[in-house]
Amino acid sequence: MSFNISFPDTTFENKQRSIEEFFEISLELRRDIIKSLFLAKSGHSGGSLGTADIFAVLFFGGFLNYDPKNWKNPNRDRFILSVGHIAPILYATLARAGFFHPSELATLRKLGSRLQGHPGLDANLPGIETSSGSLGQGVSIAVGMALSQKYLDKTDNFTFTMTGDGELEEGSVWEAAMAASNYKLSNFCWIVDNNDCQIDGRVTDVMNIYPLQEKFEAFGFDVVTIDGHNYSEIISAFTKFKNNSKNSEKPTCIIAKTYMGRGISFMEDKYSWHGVPPNEEQAIKALEELDKLDAELKKSNKLN
Amino acid sequence: MSFNISFPDTTFENKQRSIEEFFEISLELRRDIIKSLFLAKSGHSGGSLGTADIFAVLFFGGFLNYDPKNWKNPNRDRFILSVGHIAPILYATLARAGFFHPSELATLRKLGSRLQGHPGLDANLPGIETSSGSLGQGVSIAVGMALSQKYLDKTDNFTFTMTGDGELEEGSVWEAAMAASNYKLSNFCWIVDNNDCQIDGRVTDVMNIYPLQEKFEAFGFDVVTIDGHNYSEIISAFTKFKNNSKNSEKPTCIIAKTYMGRGISFMEDKYSWHGVPPNEEQAIKALEELDKLDAELKKSNKLN
Amino acid sequence: MKYKSYGKIPTRKGFGEGLVELGEQNPNIVVLGGDITSSVLTSFFRDKFPDRFFSIGIAEQNATTIAVGLALSGKIPFFSSYSAFSAFRNADQLRISVAYNNANVKIGGGHSGVTVGPDGATHQSLEEVAFLRTLPNMTLIVPADYNETKKATIASGNMFGPTFIRFGRSAGESFTTPESEFIIGKANQLTDGNDVAIFACGTLVWEALLAAEELEKQKGIKARVINLHTIKPIDYEAIVNAAKECGAIVTAEEHQIHGGMGSAVAEVVVKNYPVPMEFIGIQDRFGLSGEPEELMQYFNLNHQTIFASALRAIERRDKGFDKIRKVIDFNK
Amino acid sequence: MKYKSYGKIPTRKGFGEGLVELGEQNPNIVVLGGDITSSVLTSFFRDKFPDRFFSIGIAEQNATTIAVGLALSGKIPFFSSYSAFSAFRNADQLRISVAYNNANVKIGGGHSGVTVGPDGATHQSLEEVAFLRTLPNMTLIVPADYNETKKATIASGNMFGPTFIRFGRSAGESFTTPESEFIIGKANQLTDGNDVAIFACGTLVWEALLAAEELEKQKGIKARVINLHTIKPIDYEAIVNAAKECGAIVTAEEHQIHGGMGSAVAEVVVKNYPVPMEFIGIQDRFGLSGEPEELMQYFNLNHQTIFASALRAIERRDKGFDKIRKVIDFNK
Ligand SMILES: Cc1ncc(C[n+]2csc(CCOP(=O)(O)OP(=O)(O)O)c2C)c(N)n1
Ligand SMILES: Cc1ncc(C[n+]2csc(CCOP(=O)(O)OP(=O)(O)O)c2C)c(N)n1
Ligand SMILES: [Mg+2]
Ligand SMILES: [Mg+2]
């Protein structure tokens, strides 16, 4: 390795924040993704980068109730990554939230690591609620958790899940949707990473899933479609979900329009980046781009 | 057996018909169902009786292109019974269309019979296109056949399939729906037997599948909702499909509102009749009711 | 015979009653319905504990993974459907979300085997033991009768880990008692004998007892009948001892001979103490419609076949010794 | 050694190329994509015959049953995904619509076993042989290398009936040639020897050859290495002959030892000619992330383990004869 890779041990609190702060955090998450994937020499860059803004708001904006010191607290909110292959963004997020030391991000996908290629419960990484990697299963697990919260534990906790958009081609996903609305799981929030990319190409070309909003509405959801890179829209979507959960009997679906590979010029909106890591040259270039964005952000902050 | 069960060897042609003729045919099909299920001592009365009117129109109204004498003719239309447990209505229909001798209906579900409890391709019964019985599979098989007709064989044949409404709870069914619309299978006609009954109760109570029309529309279908016992509505639904197949790029879904057990007073709209046969007393009563309807029909016909 | 039939009681009744008993003992027991509630008798639980019963409809994938979500929330969920659908329609979910997660999910596979009867091949699951016993972390039980199904259900609710219980639809002979011992993973030796060992599970255990009785009566052969109710984890000791002490083994199950319980026994046998074996089960074909009794005869799943197979296994063992004797004579 | 490696070529390349060759020969060959087209290399076919390629998206159930619809319309459809998803997510469809229908559907299970590498346990399918070999009407092939995968693909397209071909992602040693014989159902004996038989399939065949070489070099032991590429229908003759002539058997596969190829061999062995066996495979646990090579070592899927197991099998056989000799002496 001709350039030095290290993971600073910065962590972030989970609280109300300004747009700039979310930007700052998402930059750090994107750096972690680039670094850990470069070191791993395999893995999924595209979706991990594309969802960093949503993770920044969900985990560090006071929307998800968790405690890294006592993470198995039964009264936590749950987050289930159904789209298991974008584990790098989840690992980066958990590390930055204090679930484990960020230096462990360097072990991604390596023999003996707790950071398995797809989340593995058997690896005992704090913050991992379930194994995932076979598309469509996580969202049903999340429905089970929301069901438990609402009808058995009778807590006012929430369950969030994220699926891909290609993942919506799995029929079991619609079983989950039907059940969530049948059981009036207003405590259930389903985020769709709608980047219109999957392995073989554009979702539209591989198997057309559209219209999406109409599908989720017909399956009984309150649906909000947002720009998944616009922090204000992400914030108001989660806020709307929290309000719905009190006023509506419907579960919420957030269709987040995103770009795969967001933040790195040469990856952005390219489905070829679904499942590959940056090589050294690309990693250097990517980190430079992120640094540049950081500098710009700091400058503009000062100007404000 | 204290009353004599025989299957007259009446067969019906496949042609344009009057409402009265369809009524007549459906009465014969219902008699066959009652008789074969009584003899079998097990099986599914409810859905079989409830769909008899649709089968009468589809097979004997000139809508489905088939030739019992040369039934494997590659240029036939296909009918796939996805909801395999209502095999008795399919068997009755095939017998009355001349695929095999009606007397074979007496062997339903017995050891060595070609009339397996659920359609079995290995039993080599003429007219049976595929095994079915595991819900949700037949409709995907039908999509494959329609795909073959449209893109590979390039014939102008049609593929029809029938699913139950409880069956729509299987996620794989929505995979089939998505693919049918993705491939613009305007030659594909999906009939939903919407009796709002399944084994455990009302579909609404077991797992709510509604709103149905909106779901199929969001999955890219031309949808027509009809009274599944009204011959005029059934006829115009199939006519609409045939027109759509020329003018629309969408597959067609016919949501047929039916009553389980239709035609037999003590079975009608009772989900408890999903999977049981009539006992002797019930069979006698049922056949009497059908005879009475027949007499009324004949009387009214004469009056006309 | 030491055992007698207490009449024909469906095994699924044991499942349904076991769930109710568990529900009374433990508030964390929850049950998921797959639209066959009154077929697999989870209806007993639903009627008694409606607040802990969730109808999921005809969606075996979803029911299985919802169960995982419940288990990961500290509940002990049972989901049951026909074995054909609760072992295969959800196979990926069983492999990854249940077994790999080591989630405390319990699956009931009802209406298994040809004794489903007239419903025919699609509904006669004969392959699930092969799949399920291959999954790490999975416990797999095929109880012999009503009482044992009840005990297996209760025992599975009281242990941690993924468990599958396979049981039937029809009424079979009930011969175990509420008192007889049932420990997951421990085979029950039902008769003493060193002439041949007969491993059976499910509906075939009773047939094995009948065959043993005939073997003794007609041939003076003392057969060791072993109820191998737990197929995973398998009871190595019972198998190795049988191989050593009897030298000939017959297995009998209402399942494909490929990959089933007999296959699991064979793995242990050749790895530890190779002896001749005979397999009774479905010979690599699908089922068909017919009455349960008829089908058991049609597929040779009966005590007559066990009887004949026992004689064949013994003969092969004895011939084998002869052959080896010759080899040894030749060698010295 | 008689065999040498022609370099490392991914087996999936053989699958992709085989499809193209089939496509050229037969206009009825069609291919269904499961959104991993360039992983399992059905992309070769798509690029060459776009009119006979249908993308079905991430919907393994639907792809499998659409394939059945195509097959029942006279086409010869191939569907391929990661083995984890094309054998399990669609298990019910495979059982009923493919196998029970005896539909002429061909399934490719790519990226099988631990050599998938860093993707980890969810993607490392190690259980599908157990399930698939239990299905009536199913043909199951686990080719050893690139050339053999190509031949298996072409042969499966030219035979009638449901077929599953299991192959890997990583580049393994390629040692069979375009000329070497490949007949579905007929095991290939690669080396002559009567001291011990080694049955291997997939990635382990090359390791078995290396082990045989070492056995001869270090111990003067002549091992009979058999490439058991077809697991169903199994080659009874090859197994029975090996049991009779070698008296000790080792099996090696990149799969769970429970229910896998070794288990299939064991069934034949005890039914015909019981001899000691040793099983090499995954010992009832899930996989994990790591490099393919690392994982093969970690899980003891290598020639060293085959070597040691062969010695153990031989020792057990010889000890067994001693024991029997004592019994016989005692008896006379
Ligand atoms: C059941 C299943 N089938 C196939 C795969 C292989 N696979 C992994 S990711 C992927 C594409 C997912 O697309 P999408 O959900 O849009 O995620 P994105 O590419 O946007 O990250 C596929 C097909 C899988 N993991 N699980
Ligand atoms: C995959 C699968 N799961 C479960 C069953 C058992 N089953 C047979 S019929 C049925 C109810 C079907 O309901 P519906 O489709 O509405 O048919 P209807 O009762 O109206 O005839 C169920 C659950 C099955 N056959 N297949
Ligand atoms: Mg996507
Ligand atoms: Mg219904």
Side-chain angles (χ1 to χ4, degrees), chain B residues 104-128:
Chain B
E104 203 168 337
L105 293 172
T107 68
L108 177 67
R109 291 181 154 247
K110 301 217 187 300
L111 190 63
S113 171
R114 300 196 295 180
L115 282 63
Q116 291 289 298
H118 294 78
L121 202 53
D122 63 340
N124 282 317
L125 186 71
I128 295 298

Side-chain angles (χ1 to χ4, degrees), chain C residues 18 24 36 41 44 49 53 65-66 74 80 83 85 88 131 156 159 188 191 198-199 213 250 257 259 266 275 283 294:
Chain C
E24 275 157 1
I36 34 65
L41 297 181
F44 295 170
F49 307 105
F53 177 87
T65 16
I66 283 180
S80 179
S83 211
F85 311 125
F88 296 125
F131 167 55
S156 87
M159 66 160 260
N188 285 342
T191 65
I198 305 170
F199 286 89
E213 198 182 11
V250 175
I257 55 163
V275 299
Q283 309 283 332
E294 272 178 345

